[in-house]
Amino acid sequence: MAGSMSATADPNPNPSDSVGPAVSLRDLPSAATTGAAADGSQPRQQNPVIAGDDFSRPHHVLVSRLLVKWWFSYFLVALLPVLVTMGWIYQSGRNGAPLWPALLFAVPFAALISVAALYYPRRDILEPVRALTRQAQAIAAGHFHSGPPLAHGHDEVGALTEAIETMANRLETSFREVTEKSSQLEGILRSLLNGVIAINQRHQILLFNPVAERYFSISAQEAAGKQLVEVTRHFELVTLCEEVLASAVPKSREITIVLGSQERILQTEAAPLRSRSGQVVGVVVIFHDITELRRLERVRKDFVANVSHELRTPLTSVKGFVETLLDGAIDDPAVSHRFLEIIRQQTDQLVALVNDLLDLSRVESPDIPLRYQPVDLNTLIKEVHETLGPRARDQSLRFELDLDPALPLLRGDEDLLRRLLLNLADNAIKYTPAGGRVTIRTRQLPSGQLELAVADTGVGIPKRDLPRIFERFYRVDKARSRELGGTGLGLSIVKHIVERHGATITVDSEVGEGTTFTVHFPASLRLSLSPGQSVPPQAGGAHRFA
């Protein structure tokens, strides 16, 4: 995966060199949106298109020609009255005439001609140039076609006008393309399921997408321009980025962050960010949340280890007692009977374990459809009460029912629901001491949901164990559970039965006071039938849970 992030300056990288798209500075939003330039300097608030070299060369040749034309015209027109005046004065002095009439006439004439010399280029040259200047300033501000249209001519001013309008059109097109690409990039970053961070060589944040905002509990606006360690407060991540900057080689590592009250495991892949020239100017980091994957791997390993342990313990006992009987203990009737009774108990435990494993694999497999049919939940509960009632009485327990007589029929798999009730009631009886009480109750909620609760006054479950009680082979009291014949799979089977019916299950427990398991069946499973009515089963598959 790290290889797919390898950054390059080549806009068309060789597919054999990289699995994924290249990362370069041009792929990132402008500095005005990310908060810091790639070299670490603070960005100027300007249009990224207009700030280029095209606008810094405003046809200086035409401007120079206009200036030369204006100054040459001004020089010629202003020089004419001076020459006439000097000639007049010279001729008057040569003829012996007095000079004051010549001076009296020549000075106003020269001034008038000079004013005309100033007005003509101002009107015909300076004003158009000033209009062009205002238009250029508007273009620099992002207003490409503001103000009245400029007058066109056949001289240098007209050529400059056409050049500026052409430049405005090109800049408007380029700006529109850049804006569209920036919006597309922003949309892609927002739709990514992975966190993305880009930093420069000074570890300043250039890019921060919404997933990264959620991981590190800070907005992109607040993170822009800040140091990576200040934003993430994760020194292992900072070390990874330093290694990538130093080696210019993509690297990956697993890091752990705290998101809310839970730890999340992130597969972190960092690749060098390169400029067009190929120079490393930063790092791009992508985060993949692999918490669920690691949890499933741990569950699989624990499951294999637990199954091996659960099978090995009774098999070892059976093997040991069989070897003892073969060594001569079989000749002693009392000893052999006791050993055979232990072997029978261990064999029953093995059979129960294997059956629970098969049941669990069936109920959690989505490929095996449920056989939906109208189910009278109260009737199932009464059957379970008759089955487990004698055991409860043997343990001096009160086994009570609190059933809603108006409870409607439930659309579900009858065998699975029976197994759910048996497992919950069996657990309640096992872990309730003599003199206690086990109660099963049903009722219909105002929301239309059907509620099933199995409560006991037993030993209870510690708060720290509640999140894990539905895991396979998880036991709060391992020694007592094995002593009572539990396989550690009963509640896991219950959870999967509940999920297959689209229901939910909750646990409320206090140590020494008891435990209550509550199942809420959705209103969509409720049938508008009376318990006495009979309806043929719906076609939901031929599977019958055994």
Side-chain angles (χ1 to χ4, degrees):
M1 188 67 184
S4 64
M5 294 171 50
S6 179
T8 178
D10 187 359
N12 297 305
N14 190 336
S16 62
D17 298 334
S18 175
V19 177
V23 179
S24 65
L25 282 179
R26 64 181 179 274
D27 297 323
L28 300 179
S30 63
T33 59
T34 55
D39 59 357
S41 60
Q42 292 299 319
R44 293 180 296 172
Q45 299 298 324
Q46 59 184 4
N47 192 314
V49 177
I50 300 175
D53 294 337
D54 290 338
F55 191 75
S56 64
R57 298 190 297 266
H59 305 278
H60 56 274
V61 175
L62 290 176
V63 175
S64 301
R65 290 174 60 185
L66 283 172
L67 292 177
V68 170
K69 178 180 178 181
W70 181 81
W71 284 111
F72 184 72
S73 301
Y74 175 77
F75 176 75
L76 289 180
V77 177
L79 183 62
L80 179 61
V82 175
L83 293 177
V84 172
T85 302
M86 290 180 63
W88 195 351
I89 294 174
Y90 174 75
Q91 188 63 31
S92 298
R94 187 175 180 181
N95 295 336
L99 296 178
W100 65 267
L103 293 174
L104 185 63
F105 176 78
V107 170
F109 176 76
L112 181 63
I113 297 300
S114 298
V115 170
L118 289 174
Y119 176 77
Y120 172 77
R122 176 183 179 86
R123 183 190 63 187
D124 293 347
I125 299 177
L126 290 183
E127 287 301 330
V129 169
R130 288 179 178 176
L132 290 175
T133 301
R134 289 192 295 269
Q135 181 68 16
Q137 291 173 344
I139 293 173
H143 307 292
F144 300 102
H145 297 288
S146 64
L150 299 176
H152 291 267
H154 300 288
D155 55 0
E156 289 81 357
V157 175
L160 182 58
T161 300
E162 293 181 358
I164 288 182
E165 289 184 349
T166 301
M167 180 183 63
N169 292 331
R170 291 180 59 188
L171 287 176
E172 183 179 20
T173 302
S174 300
F175 180 73
R176 188 182 300 111
E177 292 176 354
V178 170
T179 303
E180 183 178 353
K181 290 181 179 179
S182 178
S183 299
Q184 291 175 352
L185 177 61
E186 183 178 358
I188 291 172
L189 290 173
R190 287 189 174 277
S191 62
L192 285 177
L193 299 179
N194 298 326
V196 180
I197 295 178
I199 63 172
N200 59 19
Q201 288 180 314
R202 300 181 182 180
H203 288 209
Q204 291 175 309
I205 300 294
L206 299 175
L207 188 70
F208 211 77
N209 80 331
V211 179
E213 292 179 354
R214 181 168 57 86
Y215 285 161
F216 299 103
S217 302
I218 185 173
S219 67
Q221 290 75 14
E222 294 175 328
K226 292 185 178 180
Q227 293 290 319
L228 179 65
V229 66
E230 181 183 359
V231 172
T232 64
R233 300 186 182 277
H234 204 292
F235 293 97
E236 190 174 359
L237 177 59
V238 175
T239 303
L240 176 64
C241 293
E242 290 176 347
E243 293 176 0
V244 173
L245 284 173
S247 63
V249 175
K251 295 181 179 295
S252 63
R253 190 169 300 165
E254 287 187 13
I255 66 173
T256 302
I257 63 172
V258 178
L259 185 59
S261 60
Q262 296 181 345
E263 287 189 347
R264 309 297 296 180
I265 302 174
L266 304 180
Q267 176 68 30
T268 306
E269 302 186 8
L273 176 65
R274 299 182 185 274
S275 64
R276 292 180 181 270
S277 62
Q279 181 183 2
V280 177
V281 294
V283 178
V284 175
V285 186
I286 298 180
F287 303 93
H288 310 271
D289 191 342
I290 59 172
T291 306
E292 185 64 17
L293 177 62
R294 291 292 178 263
R295 187 190 69 81
L296 292 176
E297 289 179 354
R298 186 179 67 252
V299 169
R300 179 180 58 83
K301 293 178 181 178
D302 292 345
F303 178 72
V304 173
N306 286 326
V307 168
S308 301
H309 179 73
E310 294 294 335
L311 292 174
R312 182 175 58 186
T313 301
L315 287 175
T316 301
S317 298
V318 170
K319 183 176 183 295
F321 286 117
V322 169
E323 290 176 349
T324 303
L325 290 172
L326 292 176
D327 288 340
I330 193 171
D331 297 329
D332 187 338
V335 173
S336 62
H337 183 272
R338 183 167 59 87
F339 282 5
L340 289 173
E341 182 64 28
I342 295 175
I343 291 174
R344 184 185 65 81
Q345 293 175 358
Q346 296 296 328
T347 303
D348 289 343
Q349 181 73 9
L350 281 173
V351 171
L353 176 60
V354 173
N355 286 336
D356 279 352
L357 287 173
L358 291 175
D359 292 345
L360 182 60
S361 66
R362 291 170 184 166
V363 74
E364 72 179 358
S365 175
D367 298 328
I368 301 178
L370 302 185
R371 183 176 179 180
Y372 287 108
Q373 59 184 354
V375 178
D376 186 352
L377 204 56
N378 286 345
T379 300
L380 280 184
I381 294 172
K382 291 174 183 178
E383 292 179 7
V384 171
H385 182 267
E386 292 177 1
T387 302
L388 299 179
R391 232 182 76 195
R393 287 192 295 272
D394 291 343
Q395 294 181 209
S396 302
L397 301 177
R398 288 182 294 166
F399 193 0
E400 302 174 349
L401 301 181
D402 180 12
L403 307 181
D404 182 359
L407 192 73
L409 296 180
L410 179 70
R411 181 174 176 267
D413 190 305
E414 184 175 348
D415 291 331
L416 290 183
L417 294 176
R418 181 181 290 107
R419 182 60 184 273
L420 179 147
L421 287 166
L422 283 171
N423 283 4
L424 291 179
D426 181 66
N427 265 10
I429 293 173
K430 282 180 182 176
Y431 296 102
T432 301
R437 182 178 67 255
V438 175
T439 305
I440 302 179
R441 62 175 177 266
T442 59
R443 61 173 177 156
Q444 181 175 337
L445 302 179
S447 62
Q449 292 182 324
L450 304 184
E451 182 182 271
L452 165 67
V454 179
D456 64 62
T457 58
V459 296
I461 304 171
K463 295 293 185 184
R464 67 177 182 275
D465 294 308
L466 286 176
R468 302 190 60 188
I469 59 174
F470 293 107
E471 295 180 10
R472 301 169 181 177
F473 297 109
Y474 187 80
R475 295 183 174 95
V476 177
D477 188 343
K478 295 180 175 58
R480 183 175 182 183
S481 178
R482 289 195 179 94
E483 179 184 343
L484 296 174
T487 63
L489 295 174
L491 289 180
S492 183
I493 293 174
V494 166
K495 177 187 176 184
H496 283 90
I497 293 175
V498 168
E499 291 177 348
R500 289 296 300 273
H501 283 82
T504 59
I505 184 169
T506 57
V507 187
D508 184 17
S509 183
E510 291 290 339
V511 176
E513 296 183 8
T515 303
T516 301
F517 288 87
T518 306
V519 181
H520 289 100
F521 295 97
S524 59
L525 295 180
R526 185 188 54 173
L527 297 175
S528 55
L529 297 172
S530 302
Q533 291 181 274
S534 177
V535 178
Q538 300 187 21
H543 168 65
R544 190 75 173 171
F545 187 82

